[in-house]
Amino acid sequence: MPPKRAAASKRKAETPSEDEQEPLSPSDAQSSQEERTAKKRKTTASKTKTATGKAKRTAAKGASKAMAASSQSQSQNGAGTDDGPAQPTNKVLPTHISFPEKGEDAVRVAAWNICGLAAAQKKGFKYYVEAEDADILILTETKVNNPPADPELTNRYPYRYWAISDKKTYAGTGVLSKIEPLSVTYDLPGHPDKSAVKGRIVTLEFESCYVVGTYVTNAGTGLKTLDAKKEWNEHFEVYIRDLDTRKHVIWSGDLNVAPTALDLANPKTNWNKTPGYTEAETNSFARILNTKGEDADAGKFVDVWRQRHPDLRHYTYFSYRFNCREKGLGWRLDMFVVSERLGERVRMCEIRSEIYGASDHCPVVLELVGTF
């Protein structure tokens, strides 16, 4: 073992002591100090990076779990309750579509917010129109500037009525029919702002009923046009009640309201903050229904789909943003509301949930039996 100790002593002797080392110039000293400081920083940064990496990985795992739980919760919110299956999550309109044939004694009415006719035509609009073959087709948010000359519509529907807004490519409502109406109107009586009404309502009178197609005013981002929505609702309630005293009423289109907490995926976070789900809007809709007969002198109306599916959470609108369709985050804004006494003639009322992609809305359809 002594030789090893001698070798160690020799190596130690070969290494100059601090006193024997040549002095460093100021610049060299600064460089040396910077190197030492950089080395310390590098070591510290390495430790920090390691700790941060661990923290990020831990946070990522937690976020993944939270996201998975949130996604599962959201999917459950959009999927409906135990009385029905989840809605489809397709983002492109199917090209092969078929529906059960309607009965010989039935009239089929369909309504669809197409989010711009020109855009919808490029995404398979005609496939749905052909498959549904409704006797009356209500189209909302058409965004047309002139009556369209689409052969798919002109050949199928001899009676076509378009309410067109004064603003270019804005709003717009069309009601197309195989049955000739007795009369057609495009106004909302009593409303002081004719330009606000134009493009949003078409009323067809038939032998036994009125069909009212509407693209109801939106309360706007930040509820900035809620007052305009209140004004619309006030005059529309008077209008539909007046029609109901004369004949049965079928009201449909994009009504721009989620009537209850079941009619949107996230009711708590949207209540009184988001257009379509405010106290003013839901109360107005409830007054029109008059379900409990609060207004003894007024007739009652029925939200047909909700009456037939009292607990189901299915929607007609899914935003293109944030993967809402895939997550089941939607709103039920498109519906059929009919005079209560007409209810016994309703054979079917459904949301065409698979018809998505040509628009961010799904169509709704109603069948009635008897004289129209």
Side-chain angles (χ1 to χ4, degrees):
M1 299 305 293
K4 289 184 178 180
R5 283 197 294 272
S9 298
K10 184 177 180 180
R11 287 196 298 272
K12 185 176 180 180
E14 291 174 349
T15 305
S17 68
E18 291 182 5
D19 292 338
E20 295 174 330
Q21 293 177 4
E22 293 183 5
L24 300 174
S25 67
S27 60
D28 289 337
Q30 184 178 2
S31 297
S32 180
Q33 180 63 33
E34 288 175 350
E35 287 176 3
R36 288 194 296 272
T37 302
K39 187 175 182 180
K40 288 181 180 179
R41 286 176 179 170
K42 186 175 181 181
T43 302
T44 303
S46 178
K47 292 179 180 178
T48 303
K49 185 176 180 180
T50 301
T52 303
K54 290 180 179 178
K56 284 183 176 180
R57 287 192 293 273
T58 302
K61 289 180 180 178
S64 296
K65 291 180 180 179
M67 187 178 294
S70 175
S71 178
Q72 182 179 6
S73 173
Q74 290 167 340
S75 295
Q76 289 173 347
N77 281 341
T81 53
D82 293 338
D83 67 340
Q87 286 187 276
T89 58
N90 60 297
K91 296 181 180 180
V92 178
L93 189 76
T95 55
H96 300 288
I97 307 169
S98 63
F99 301 117
E101 293 185 4
K102 68 181 179 68
E104 293 182 2
D105 59 342
V107 173
R108 180 174 291 185
V109 185
W112 191 13
N113 178 319
I114 53 176
C115 197
L117 178 60
Q121 287 171 325
K122 298 175 183 177
K123 301 176 184 178
F125 169 79
K126 69 175 184 178
Y127 298 123
Y128 169 71
V129 175
E130 290 172 356
E132 191 70 82
D133 193 26
D135 296 293
I136 297 174
L137 178 62
I138 299 168
L139 300 175
T140 58
E141 201 175 358
T142 60
K143 298 183 181 180
V144 300
N145 300 320
N146 297 288
D150 183 347
E152 180 59 42
L153 301 178
T154 57
N155 294 338
R156 191 176 299 272
Y157 297 104
Y159 308 103
R160 302 176 302 279
Y161 307 96
W162 302 93
I164 300 173
S165 173
D166 289 331
K167 297 180 182 179
K168 295 293 184 181
T169 61
Y170 178 77
T173 303
V175 180
L176 296 76
S177 178
K178 295 180 181 181
I179 308 166
E180 184 177 8
L182 301 178
S183 67
V184 182
T185 59
Y186 301 89
D187 62 341
L188 181 55
H191 197 293
D193 187 352
K194 301 303 180 184
S195 63
V197 172
K198 196 171 182 181
R200 294 193 176 274
I201 183 169
V202 181
T203 302
L204 272 59
E205 179 187 7
F206 295 94
E207 182 179 342
S208 68
C209 67
Y210 291 97
V211 172
V212 184
T214 61
Y215 178 42
V216 174
T217 301
N218 191 291
T221 303
L223 305 180
K224 62 183 179 182
T225 55
L226 181 58
D227 287 341
K229 178 71 171 288
K230 290 178 181 178
E231 187 170 52
W232 168 282
N233 288 342
E234 177 185 346
H235 292 286
F236 187 80
E237 182 179 352
V238 173
Y239 177 60
I240 196 172
R241 293 211 179 286
D242 178 60
L243 294 180
D244 187 55
T245 62
R246 305 182 219 173
K247 296 181 179 181
H248 304 312
V249 176
I250 300 169
W251 172 32
S252 188
D254 182 348
L255 309 193
N256 258 324
V257 62
T260 72
L262 288 173
D263 296 310
L264 69 164
N266 295 313
K268 290 183 179 180
T269 56
N270 285 289
W271 179 242
N272 278 330
K273 297 176 183 177
T274 307
Y277 193 56
T278 64
E279 186 174 8
E281 293 168 287
T282 56
N283 283 351
S284 176
F285 187 81
R287 281 197 306 272
I288 289 176
L289 296 187
N290 195 28
T291 304
K292 298 180 181 179
E294 295 91 339
D295 187 344
D297 297 326
K300 296 180 181 180
F301 288 87
V302 176
D303 175 355
V304 184
W305 188 89
R306 176 54 68 203
Q307 183 188 58
R308 290 174 165 245
H309 307 88
D311 302 312
L312 196 57
R313 301 177 73 103
H314 277 191
Y315 312 119
T316 64
Y317 165 74
F318 300 88
S319 172
Y320 285 139
R321 304 171 66 192
F322 311 121
N323 281 326
C324 287
R325 174 70 168 176
E326 184 178 345
K327 296 175 182 177
L329 301 178
W331 294 60
R332 190 175 70 93
L333 302 175
D334 311 80
M335 59 200 82
F336 279 93
V337 175
V338 306
S339 301
E340 184 185 50
R341 60 191 186 279
L342 192 62
E344 61 185 18
R345 290 176 51 189
V346 175
R347 171 177 289 172
M348 174 270 283
C349 184
E350 296 296 341
I351 298 170
R352 297 300 197 198
S353 296
E354 69 274 33
I355 306 303
Y356 183 86
S359 166
D360 50 8
H361 288 247
C362 300
V364 291
V365 61
L366 174 83
E367 275 190 17
L368 300 103
V369 295
T371 303
F372 204 75

